Amino acid sequence: MSDSPIPYARQSLDGADTDAVLGVLRGEWLTQGPAVPAFERAMAGRCRAAHAVAVNSATSALHIACLALDVGPGDQVWTSANTFVASANCAALCGAAVDFVDIDPDTWNLSVAGLAEKLAAARRRRDLTPRVVIPVHFGGQSCDMEGIAELGRDYGFRVLEDASHAVGGRYRDLPIGCCRFSDITVFSFHAVKIITTGEGGMALTNDDELGERLRQLRSHGIVQDPMGGPLRRGDPWAYEQVELGFNYRMTDIQAALGSSQVRRLDAVISRRNALADRYGAAFAHLTARSQHVPDEALSARHLYPLRVAPTERRRVFDGLSARGIKANVHYQPVYLQPYYRQFGFRPGHCPEAEAYYAGALSLPMYAGLTDEEQSRVIAAVRDLLAP
Ligand SMILES: *Cc1c(COP(=O)(O)O)cnc(C)c1O
């Protein structure tokens, strides 16, 4: 089957995963049963965070995280230009103004130097500085969180980590999700991500109040968490809606899959890193560049982005496609989307992110990619980029 198409990402499921899902389907609870709190405990324990709140997507997690951090009209929220639109939309959904920070030319993550400059310029002009900054761990590699947290203390902003790519990754020997340098961290369990619940997401925090807000906003703004939180009034049937919330709950079906998947997370991360190391070695002699991973980080390797000459990108993309290799491109700078252009953003706002995007190409990267399939990808890339 050496000619079957190779996607850029794919879920990896095994018999234990299907058994876990079937167990829920044959049991008492499809939703609001014990599987969601069990998944939350597993993730909180792994990440060494006090609270883990499972929701139906990372997009929902980002939205309620912004609300929990009191983002609203009149506020600024800044994020990386090189990300998926959801990292910015969460703030726009709260009525805040979004702005974008340029990326580091080597890690392709939000540039801390760029953030520092932008903050200083805003302060000089007496402009509003952000209420929240949302660093994105691009491709699974942590941003320089200590640098961002330091700026947060200087300028009084909160930090929301979009770790949609980074579950299972580490930063300075700390698990991503521990929130040592942030207020809240968000994971995605979409099918293309590191581990999956089909659709799904999670918000983690060490702050008890934020944890309670997140739980409340997930479920209509009701304080008696239907997942078994304490009643505030005497009547056993009573519940109180104290703010405007959503139904962003994860089902037990999804959570059972998540708990089963997370048991293999370490193996998944090492397989992804082995694949990344092999790509890196195979392309070392080419002019194409791979993402720089500083020693202090263990990337979760959600993506394997390769940066080729902008004039070559389309030819390489099409050439791979003709060979049955379905590459992808991550990301068009978010502010160039028509929705964001209406706020006045124009090409040139984040030159590094635009230059990176012009040559970006994400190669197949997932735990189930076989050595033989990877050899096909490597041979195709070398062939297409041969001098
Ligand atoms: C996938 C992704 C999201 C959204 O995740 P969903 O679970 O699909 O809502 C947000 N941010 C980034 C960086 C992503 O890659």
Side-chain angles (χ1 to χ4, degrees), residues 153-298:
R153 281 190 293 278
D154 288 355
Y155 285 87
F157 61 76
R158 314 290 292 273
V159 180
L160 165 54
E161 290 175 71
D162 183 347
S164 291
H165 298 186
V167 63
R170 298 178 78 81
Y171 169 69
R172 303 215 172 147
D173 253 359
L174 295 166
I176 291 177
C178 72
C179 301
R180 168 80 166 273
F181 300 103
S182 66
D183 296 282
I184 299 175
T185 300
V186 164
F187 292 139
S188 172
F189 306 118
H190 182 273
V192 299
K193 302 284 162 71
I194 308 283
I195 54 170
T196 188
T197 60
E199 297 275 1
M202 187 170 275
L204 298 97
T205 184
N206 291 319
D207 182 305
D208 295 344
E209 261 173 56
L210 287 175
E212 192 179 336
R213 271 311 285 297
L214 291 165
R215 289 215 158 73
Q216 204 165 286
L217 287 161
R218 162 177 72 181
S219 237
H220 309 282
I222 289 174
V223 289
Q224 182 219 349
D225 192 327
M227 292 180 183
L231 278 174
R232 294 221 172 153
R233 284 194 298 187
D235 299 331
W237 57 84
Y239 59 85
E240 284 182 325
Q241 186 198 340
V242 298
E243 67 176 324
L244 198 55
F246 308 89
N247 177 356
Y248 279 171
R249 290 187 303 262
M250 177 181 276
T251 66
D252 275 43
I253 306 166
Q254 294 167 302
L257 179 54
S259 287
S260 177
Q261 288 257 301
V262 81
R263 280 182 208 118
R264 291 204 305 285
L265 181 53
D266 289 331
V268 164
I269 298 298
S270 46
R271 175 64 184 157
R272 284 173 177 272
N273 272 282
L275 291 165
D277 290 347
R278 186 165 170 229
Y279 274 143
F283 303 145
H285 67 289
L286 301 177
T287 53
R289 285 171 53 208
S290 297
Q291 188 176 19
H292 173 65
V293 179
D295 291 339
E296 64 184 18
L298 172 70

Side-chain angles (χ1 to χ4, degrees), residues 56-62 82-88 136-138 162-165 186-193 198-202 302-303 330-331:
N56 59 1
S57 71
T59 302
S60 301
L62 288 164
N82 181 31
T83 187
F84 183 55
V85 294
S87 315
V136 181
H137 304 320
F138 179 64
D162 183 347
S164 291
H165 298 186
V186 164
F187 292 139
S188 172
F189 306 118
H190 182 273
V192 299
K193 302 284 162 71
E199 297 275 1
M202 187 170 275
H302 164 53
L303 299 172
H330 301 90
Y331 288 99

Side-chain angles (χ1 to χ4, degrees), residues 2-6 313-327 361 376-377 380-381 383-384:
S2 71
D3 289 320
S4 55
I6 304 175
R313 196 256 305 267
R314 184 60 193 260
R315 185 179 63 77
V316 177
F317 185 93
D318 290 344
L320 290 172
S321 184
R323 291 163 169 81
I325 298 161
K326 302 300 170 191
L361 197 63
R376 260 178 70 199
V377 179
V381 170
D383 180 38
L384 287 160

